[in-house]
Amino acid sequence: MSQDPATSVPISKYSSSTGGLGSSSYDDVVALGRELANSLDSNDTLGRWMAHYIADLIDRAETADGPDRDTLQHECAAEIMRLWSHRHSFRNPQRPMASFEPVYRALARLDPDNPPWSFLRTFSPDTAPKADQLEINALLKAALEIEDAARDAVRELIASAAGVASHKEAKWIDLAKHIQDEESGLVGVLRRLRYAGVDDAPDESADELGESMDEVAAPTAVQALEALATACRAALEVVDESVRDSQVSSG
């Protein structure tokens, strides 16, 4: 089950990747463990061994008596949680939560704390135009407005993609709802990105991932794309005016 570099998942700095169990019961963890064992690739020697190992731990914990039962249950839960924390390295392309992996890769470029021009990386931080330069250069100002609108549109499309992923991963979301990790923090991540700088942002507490992702992935992508189109049309007018001014000057 060695990790394929092509599928490694950089976790956003906004994610709640604690791996904690919260108030989970042992039965919740065992249910997750059984499904994890079933999901491991039977053609992967290590994966097959891990599946048997987890199944054996569950069986021993369920049949033990006395103090040994508590010890074995603790060991069993710890191993299941350890396996869950390494799910991104499973060889199986249908590994748990795989649908969210491209979402994480996209999130890094949408940090609302990034400075202007950082989305398309048109300028380095040292060479980016200053505010006063933008005010006297309509073309540069239009370019920045397009970049901002493009970032918003991409963010909304990613939110919609996360909504699709939440439905595809509904089984795993339900099995792991007692675990606090990157997927459980994804709703908060997208909300913070969407409502960055907005005073009346909605409360991001308490909702479960599957339900709240529908709200996060509401059809605002259409509005964002329309705003991008508006910015492009405005830029076209600026370009046309610049061309006319240039022709007048040269004439």
mmCIF file of all heavy atoms in Angstrom, residues 98-133:
data_model
loop_
_atom_site.group_PDB
_atom_site.id
_atom_site.type_symbol
_atom_site.label_atom_id
_atom_site.label_comp_id
_atom_site.label_asym_id
_atom_site.label_seq_id
_atom_site.Cartn_x
_atom_site.Cartn_y
_atom_site.Cartn_z
ATOM 1 N N ALA A 98 -11.803 9.068 -2.295
ATOM 2 C CA ALA A 98 -10.937 9.424 -3.433
ATOM 3 C C ALA A 98 -11.514 10.583 -4.242
ATOM 4 O O ALA A 98 -10.766 11.359 -4.852
ATOM 5 C CB ALA A 98 -10.735 8.202 -4.333
ATOM 6 N N SER A 99 -12.827 10.727 -4.240
ATOM 7 C CA SER A 99 -13.457 11.797 -5.021
ATOM 8 C C SER A 99 -13.081 13.175 -4.526
ATOM 9 O O SER A 99 -13.185 14.168 -5.267
ATOM 10 C CB SER A 99 -14.985 11.644 -4.973
ATOM 11 O OG SER A 99 -15.395 10.392 -5.462
ATOM 12 N N PHE A 100 -12.647 13.282 -3.254
ATOM 13 C CA PHE A 100 -12.299 14.586 -2.698
ATOM 14 C C PHE A 100 -10.857 14.986 -3.009
ATOM 15 O O PHE A 100 -10.490 16.155 -2.832
ATOM 16 C CB PHE A 100 -12.482 14.584 -1.177
ATOM 17 C CG PHE A 100 -13.921 14.610 -0.748
ATOM 18 C CD1 PHE A 100 -14.514 13.496 -0.207
ATOM 19 C CD2 PHE A 100 -14.675 15.760 -0.899
ATOM 20 C CE1 PHE A 100 -15.845 13.519 0.186
ATOM 21 C CE2 PHE A 100 -16.001 15.798 -0.506
ATOM 22 C CZ PHE A 100 -16.589 14.667 0.036
ATOM 23 N N GLU A 101 -10.019 14.051 -3.454
ATOM 24 C CA GLU A 101 -8.591 14.329 -3.616
ATOM 25 C C GLU A 101 -8.315 15.473 -4.599
ATOM 26 O O GLU A 101 -7.515 16.367 -4.295
ATOM 27 C CB GLU A 101 -7.848 13.048 -3.986
ATOM 28 C CG GLU A 101 -7.865 12.027 -2.845
ATOM 29 C CD GLU A 101 -7.232 10.697 -3.207
ATOM 30 O OE1 GLU A 101 -6.565 10.620 -4.268
ATOM 31 O OE2 GLU A 101 -7.401 9.731 -2.442
ATOM 32 N N PRO A 102 -8.955 15.489 -5.793
ATOM 33 C CA PRO A 102 -8.695 16.629 -6.680
ATOM 34 C C PRO A 102 -9.217 17.945 -6.121
ATOM 35 O O PRO A 102 -8.696 19.012 -6.449
ATOM 36 C CB PRO A 102 -9.414 16.240 -7.985
ATOM 37 C CG PRO A 102 -10.394 15.191 -7.595
ATOM 38 C CD PRO A 102 -9.783 14.464 -6.444
ATOM 39 N N VAL A 103 -10.245 17.868 -5.257
ATOM 40 C CA VAL A 103 -10.759 19.091 -4.628
ATOM 41 C C VAL A 103 -9.679 19.714 -3.752
ATOM 42 O O VAL A 103 -9.444 20.925 -3.777
ATOM 43 C CB VAL A 103 -12.025 18.789 -3.799
ATOM 44 C CG1 VAL A 103 -12.490 20.039 -3.055
ATOM 45 C CG2 VAL A 103 -13.139 18.264 -4.708
ATOM 46 N N TYR A 104 -8.973 18.871 -2.969
ATOM 47 C CA TYR A 104 -7.913 19.385 -2.105
ATOM 48 C C TYR A 104 -6.784 20.004 -2.919
ATOM 49 O O TYR A 104 -6.223 21.037 -2.546
ATOM 50 C CB TYR A 104 -7.350 18.269 -1.222
ATOM 51 C CG TYR A 104 -8.289 17.851 -0.130
ATOM 52 C CD1 TYR A 104 -8.710 16.531 -0.023
ATOM 53 C CD2 TYR A 104 -8.766 18.768 0.796
ATOM 54 C CE1 TYR A 104 -9.586 16.145 0.967
ATOM 55 C CE2 TYR A 104 -9.635 18.393 1.784
ATOM 56 C CZ TYR A 104 -10.050 17.077 1.868
ATOM 57 O OH TYR A 104 -10.918 16.713 2.838
ATOM 58 N N ARG A 105 -6.452 19.369 -4.039
ATOM 59 C CA ARG A 105 -5.354 19.898 -4.848
ATOM 60 C C ARG A 105 -5.698 21.280 -5.401
ATOM 61 O O ARG A 105 -4.832 22.128 -5.589
ATOM 62 C CB ARG A 105 -5.031 18.919 -5.983
ATOM 63 C CG ARG A 105 -4.291 17.676 -5.518
ATOM 64 C CD ARG A 105 -3.727 16.894 -6.696
ATOM 65 N NE ARG A 105 -4.769 16.195 -7.438
ATOM 66 C CZ ARG A 105 -5.173 14.954 -7.178
ATOM 67 N NH1 ARG A 105 -4.658 14.291 -6.149
ATOM 68 N NH2 ARG A 105 -6.103 14.378 -7.905
ATOM 69 N N ALA A 106 -6.986 21.488 -5.664
ATOM 70 C CA ALA A 106 -7.408 22.775 -6.217
ATOM 71 C C ALA A 106 -7.514 23.860 -5.152
ATOM 72 O O ALA A 106 -7.345 25.046 -5.453
ATOM 73 C CB ALA A 106 -8.753 22.616 -6.924
ATOM 74 N N LEU A 107 -7.780 23.482 -3.909
ATOM 75 C CA LEU A 107 -8.037 24.473 -2.865
ATOM 76 C C LEU A 107 -6.837 25.360 -2.571
ATOM 77 O O LEU A 107 -7.004 26.535 -2.221
ATOM 78 C CB LEU A 107 -8.457 23.772 -1.567
ATOM 79 C CG LEU A 107 -9.895 23.249 -1.508
ATOM 80 C CD1 LEU A 107 -10.112 22.479 -0.220
ATOM 81 C CD2 LEU A 107 -10.881 24.392 -1.612
ATOM 82 N N ALA A 108 -5.632 24.823 -2.719
ATOM 83 C CA ALA A 108 -4.436 25.564 -2.313
ATOM 84 C C ALA A 108 -4.311 26.901 -3.039
ATOM 85 O O ALA A 108 -3.796 27.878 -2.483
ATOM 86 C CB ALA A 108 -3.186 24.726 -2.545
ATOM 87 N N ARG A 109 -4.785 26.991 -4.283
ATOM 88 C CA ARG A 109 -4.635 28.222 -5.061
ATOM 89 C C ARG A 109 -5.767 29.212 -4.813
ATOM 90 O O ARG A 109 -5.764 30.292 -5.395
ATOM 91 C CB ARG A 109 -4.561 27.886 -6.549
ATOM 92 C CG ARG A 109 -3.315 27.099 -6.921
ATOM 93 C CD ARG A 109 -3.179 26.952 -8.402
ATOM 94 N NE ARG A 109 -3.055 28.246 -9.071
ATOM 95 C CZ ARG A 109 -3.107 28.401 -10.387
ATOM 96 N NH1 ARG A 109 -3.297 27.358 -11.152
ATOM 97 N NH2 ARG A 109 -2.983 29.598 -10.927
ATOM 98 N N LEU A 110 -6.723 28.829 -3.958
ATOM 99 C CA LEU A 110 -7.874 29.695 -3.738
ATOM 100 C C LEU A 110 -7.862 30.342 -2.365
ATOM 101 O O LEU A 110 -8.873 30.848 -1.900
ATOM 102 C CB LEU A 110 -9.163 28.878 -3.912
ATOM 103 C CG LEU A 110 -9.365 28.296 -5.308
ATOM 104 C CD1 LEU A 110 -10.592 27.421 -5.337
ATOM 105 C CD2 LEU A 110 -9.494 29.419 -6.329
ATOM 106 N N ASP A 111 -6.742 30.337 -1.708
ATOM 107 C CA ASP A 111 -6.613 30.934 -0.383
ATOM 108 C C ASP A 111 -7.004 32.407 -0.451
ATOM 109 O O ASP A 111 -6.405 33.183 -1.197
ATOM 110 C CB ASP A 111 -5.156 30.775 0.083
ATOM 111 C CG ASP A 111 -4.928 31.240 1.514
ATOM 112 O OD1 ASP A 111 -5.789 31.980 2.040
ATOM 113 O OD2 ASP A 111 -3.900 30.877 2.082
ATOM 114 N N PRO A 112 -8.026 32.829 0.319
ATOM 115 C CA PRO A 112 -8.429 34.240 0.255
ATOM 116 C C PRO A 112 -7.366 35.194 0.775
ATOM 117 O O PRO A 112 -7.449 36.399 0.544
ATOM 118 C CB PRO A 112 -9.683 34.277 1.143
ATOM 119 C CG PRO A 112 -9.567 33.089 2.031
ATOM 120 C CD PRO A 112 -8.859 32.048 1.227
ATOM 121 N N ASP A 113 -6.366 34.664 1.477
ATOM 122 C CA ASP A 113 -5.290 35.519 1.979
ATOM 123 C C ASP A 113 -4.209 35.771 0.927
ATOM 124 O O ASP A 113 -3.281 36.547 1.170
ATOM 125 C CB ASP A 113 -4.643 34.895 3.216
ATOM 126 C CG ASP A 113 -5.604 34.831 4.397
ATOM 127 O OD1 ASP A 113 -6.489 35.703 4.467
ATOM 128 O OD2 ASP A 113 -5.478 33.921 5.222
ATOM 129 N N ASN A 114 -4.306 35.091 -0.211
ATOM 130 C CA ASN A 114 -3.318 35.319 -1.266
ATOM 131 C C ASN A 114 -3.409 36.753 -1.777
ATOM 132 O O ASN A 114 -4.507 37.314 -1.887
ATOM 133 C CB ASN A 114 -3.548 34.351 -2.433
ATOM 134 C CG ASN A 114 -3.083 32.948 -2.113
ATOM 135 O OD1 ASN A 114 -2.312 32.742 -1.190
ATOM 136 N ND2 ASN A 114 -3.566 31.975 -2.873
ATOM 137 N N PRO A 115 -2.291 37.379 -2.107
ATOM 138 C CA PRO A 115 -2.311 38.761 -2.601
ATOM 139 C C PRO A 115 -2.875 38.844 -4.019
ATOM 140 O O PRO A 115 -3.023 37.825 -4.698
ATOM 141 C CB PRO A 115 -0.825 39.153 -2.581
ATOM 142 C CG PRO A 115 -0.104 37.851 -2.739
ATOM 143 C CD PRO A 115 -0.930 36.824 -2.020
ATOM 144 N N PRO A 116 -3.232 40.058 -4.477
ATOM 145 C CA PRO A 116 -3.698 40.215 -5.857
ATOM 146 C C PRO A 116 -2.679 39.652 -6.854
ATOM 147 O O PRO A 116 -1.488 39.640 -6.591
ATOM 148 C CB PRO A 116 -3.840 41.740 -6.007
ATOM 149 C CG PRO A 116 -4.034 42.243 -4.613
ATOM 150 C CD PRO A 116 -3.219 41.327 -3.739
ATOM 151 N N TRP A 117 -3.165 39.199 -7.984
ATOM 152 C CA TRP A 117 -2.389 38.637 -9.081
ATOM 153 C C TRP A 117 -1.839 37.242 -8.775
ATOM 154 O O TRP A 117 -1.131 36.667 -9.599
ATOM 155 C CB TRP A 117 -1.206 39.531 -9.476
ATOM 156 C CG TRP A 117 -1.563 40.940 -9.815
ATOM 157 C CD1 TRP A 117 -1.361 42.037 -9.044
ATOM 158 C CD2 TRP A 117 -2.197 41.409 -11.015
ATOM 159 N NE1 TRP A 117 -1.817 43.168 -9.673
ATOM 160 C CE2 TRP A 117 -2.337 42.818 -10.893
ATOM 161 C CE3 TRP A 117 -2.645 40.790 -12.182
ATOM 162 C CZ2 TRP A 117 -2.910 43.597 -11.886
ATOM 163 C CZ3 TRP A 117 -3.216 41.564 -13.170
ATOM 164 C CH2 TRP A 117 -3.341 42.947 -13.022
ATOM 165 N N SER A 118 -2.167 36.654 -7.621
ATOM 166 C CA SER A 118 -1.563 35.370 -7.262
ATOM 167 C C SER A 118 -2.279 34.183 -7.894
ATOM 168 O O SER A 118 -1.722 33.091 -7.961
ATOM 169 C CB SER A 118 -1.555 35.196 -5.735
ATOM 170 O OG SER A 118 -2.862 35.254 -5.221
ATOM 171 N N PHE A 119 -3.515 34.369 -8.353
ATOM 172 C CA PHE A 119 -4.254 33.235 -8.912
ATOM 173 C C PHE A 119 -3.638 32.787 -10.232
ATOM 174 O O PHE A 119 -3.311 31.620 -10.420
ATOM 175 C CB PHE A 119 -5.728 33.596 -9.090
ATOM 176 C CG PHE A 119 -6.552 32.490 -9.673
ATOM 177 C CD1 PHE A 119 -6.610 31.253 -9.054
ATOM 178 C CD2 PHE A 119 -7.256 32.659 -10.853
ATOM 179 C CE1 PHE A 119 -7.362 30.219 -9.582
ATOM 180 C CE2 PHE A 119 -8.015 31.642 -11.392
ATOM 181 C CZ PHE A 119 -8.068 30.420 -10.753
ATOM 182 N N LEU A 120 -3.470 33.715 -11.162
ATOM 183 C CA LEU A 120 -2.855 33.383 -12.453
ATOM 184 C C LEU A 120 -1.347 33.597 -12.449
ATOM 185 O O LEU A 120 -0.669 33.276 -13.413
ATOM 186 C CB LEU A 120 -3.486 34.224 -13.566
ATOM 187 C CG LEU A 120 -4.987 33.985 -13.796
ATOM 188 C CD1 LEU A 120 -5.519 34.929 -14.858
ATOM 189 C CD2 LEU A 120 -5.244 32.544 -14.202
ATOM 190 N N ARG A 121 -0.850 34.156 -11.315
ATOM 191 C CA ARG A 121 0.585 34.414 -11.153
ATOM 192 C C ARG A 121 1.137 35.249 -12.305
ATOM 193 O O ARG A 121 2.215 34.973 -12.845
ATOM 194 C CB ARG A 121 1.347 33.089 -11.016
ATOM 195 C CG ARG A 121 0.889 32.258 -9.822
ATOM 196 C CD ARG A 121 1.795 31.069 -9.600
ATOM 197 N NE ARG A 121 1.413 30.341 -8.412
ATOM 198 C CZ ARG A 121 0.659 29.244 -8.404
ATOM 199 N NH1 ARG A 121 0.222 28.748 -9.543
ATOM 200 N NH2 ARG A 121 0.355 28.639 -7.282
ATOM 201 N N THR A 122 0.370 36.278 -12.673
ATOM 202 C CA THR A 122 0.790 37.150 -13.773
ATOM 203 C C THR A 122 2.021 37.958 -13.411
ATOM 204 O O THR A 122 2.908 38.175 -14.240
ATOM 205 C CB THR A 122 -0.365 38.103 -14.136
ATOM 206 O OG1 THR A 122 -1.567 37.337 -14.284
ATOM 207 C CG2 THR A 122 -0.070 38.845 -15.420
ATOM 208 N N PHE A 123 2.067 38.427 -12.141
ATOM 209 C CA PHE A 123 3.200 39.205 -11.653
ATOM 210 C C PHE A 123 3.748 38.538 -10.397
ATOM 211 O O PHE A 123 3.026 37.858 -9.672
ATOM 212 C CB PHE A 123 2.781 40.638 -11.296
ATOM 213 C CG PHE A 123 2.297 41.451 -12.462
ATOM 214 C CD1 PHE A 123 0.940 41.610 -12.683
ATOM 215 C CD2 PHE A 123 3.196 42.065 -13.319
ATOM 216 C CE1 PHE A 123 0.478 42.363 -13.746
ATOM 217 C CE2 PHE A 123 2.744 42.828 -14.378
ATOM 218 C CZ PHE A 123 1.384 42.972 -14.607
ATOM 219 N N SER A 124 5.025 38.772 -10.150
ATOM 220 C CA SER A 124 5.588 38.376 -8.866
ATOM 221 C C SER A 124 5.178 39.415 -7.832
ATOM 222 O O SER A 124 4.807 40.537 -8.188
ATOM 223 C CB SER A 124 7.115 38.300 -8.951
ATOM 224 O OG SER A 124 7.658 39.597 -9.099
ATOM 225 N N PRO A 125 5.251 39.093 -6.536
ATOM 226 C CA PRO A 125 4.873 40.081 -5.514
ATOM 227 C C PRO A 125 5.658 41.392 -5.638
ATOM 228 O O PRO A 125 5.140 42.467 -5.323
ATOM 229 C CB PRO A 125 5.194 39.361 -4.201
ATOM 230 C CG PRO A 125 5.064 37.900 -4.534
ATOM 231 C CD PRO A 125 5.561 37.771 -5.947
ATOM 232 N N ASP A 126 6.893 41.306 -6.114
ATOM 233 C CA ASP A 126 7.728 42.512 -6.210
ATOM 234 C C ASP A 126 7.378 43.389 -7.408
ATOM 235 O O ASP A 126 7.650 44.593 -7.404
ATOM 236 C CB ASP A 126 9.207 42.121 -6.287
ATOM 237 C CG ASP A 126 9.684 41.447 -5.009
ATOM 238 O OD1 ASP A 126 9.102 41.729 -3.938
ATOM 239 O OD2 ASP A 126 10.634 40.638 -5.091
ATOM 240 N N THR A 127 6.813 42.780 -8.449
ATOM 241 C CA THR A 127 6.563 43.538 -9.677
ATOM 242 C C THR A 127 5.082 43.848 -9.905
ATOM 243 O O THR A 127 4.737 44.487 -10.894
ATOM 244 C CB THR A 127 7.092 42.766 -10.903
ATOM 245 O OG1 THR A 127 6.406 41.506 -10.997
ATOM 246 C CG2 THR A 127 8.585 42.522 -10.785
ATOM 247 N N ALA A 128 4.195 43.417 -9.000
ATOM 248 C CA ALA A 128 2.759 43.658 -9.176
ATOM 249 C C ALA A 128 2.458 45.152 -9.144
ATOM 250 O O ALA A 128 3.035 45.897 -8.345
ATOM 251 C CB ALA A 128 1.973 42.945 -8.072
ATOM 252 N N PRO A 129 1.562 45.615 -10.015
ATOM 253 C CA PRO A 129 1.218 47.044 -10.035
ATOM 254 C C PRO A 129 0.613 47.491 -8.704
ATOM 255 O O PRO A 129 -0.144 46.764 -8.077
ATOM 256 C CB PRO A 129 0.177 47.135 -11.161
ATOM 257 C CG PRO A 129 0.390 45.911 -11.987
ATOM 258 C CD PRO A 129 0.861 44.852 -11.052
ATOM 259 N N LYS A 130 0.951 48.712 -8.303
ATOM 260 C CA LYS A 130 0.398 49.281 -7.084
ATOM 261 C C LYS A 130 -0.998 49.862 -7.367
ATOM 262 O O LYS A 130 -1.386 50.036 -8.516
ATOM 263 C CB LYS A 130 1.327 50.382 -6.549
ATOM 264 C CG LYS A 130 2.751 49.914 -6.281
ATOM 265 C CD LYS A 130 2.780 48.879 -5.174
ATOM 266 C CE LYS A 130 4.216 48.504 -4.782
ATOM 267 N NZ LYS A 130 4.933 47.800 -5.843
ATOM 268 N N ALA A 131 -1.722 50.160 -6.280
ATOM 269 C CA ALA A 131 -3.096 50.655 -6.420
ATOM 270 C C ALA A 131 -3.158 51.921 -7.263
ATOM 271 O O ALA A 131 -4.047 52.090 -8.110
ATOM 272 C CB ALA A 131 -3.705 50.889 -5.044
ATOM 273 N N ASP A 132 -2.207 52.851 -7.070
ATOM 274 C CA ASP A 132 -2.239 54.097 -7.821
ATOM 275 C C ASP A 132 -1.968 53.862 -9.305
ATOM 276 O O ASP A 132 -2.487 54.572 -10.176
ATOM 277 C CB ASP A 132 -1.246 55.108 -7.239
ATOM 278 C CG ASP A 132 0.183 54.569 -7.211
ATOM 279 O OD1 ASP A 132 0.353 53.332 -7.286
ATOM 280 O OD2 ASP A 132 1.119 55.384 -7.100
ATOM 281 N N GLN A 133 -1.163 52.841 -9.618
ATOM 282 C CA GLN A 133 -0.907 52.502 -11.018
ATOM 283 C C GLN A 133 -2.155 51.930 -11.690
ATOM 284 O O GLN A 133 -2.407 52.172 -12.872
ATOM 285 C CB GLN A 133 0.255 51.514 -11.115
ATOM 286 C CG GLN A 133 1.594 52.092 -10.673
ATOM 287 C CD GLN A 133 2.686 51.043 -10.669
ATOM 288 O OE1 GLN A 133 2.546 49.988 -10.029
ATOM 289 N NE2 GLN A 133 3.764 51.320 -11.382
#
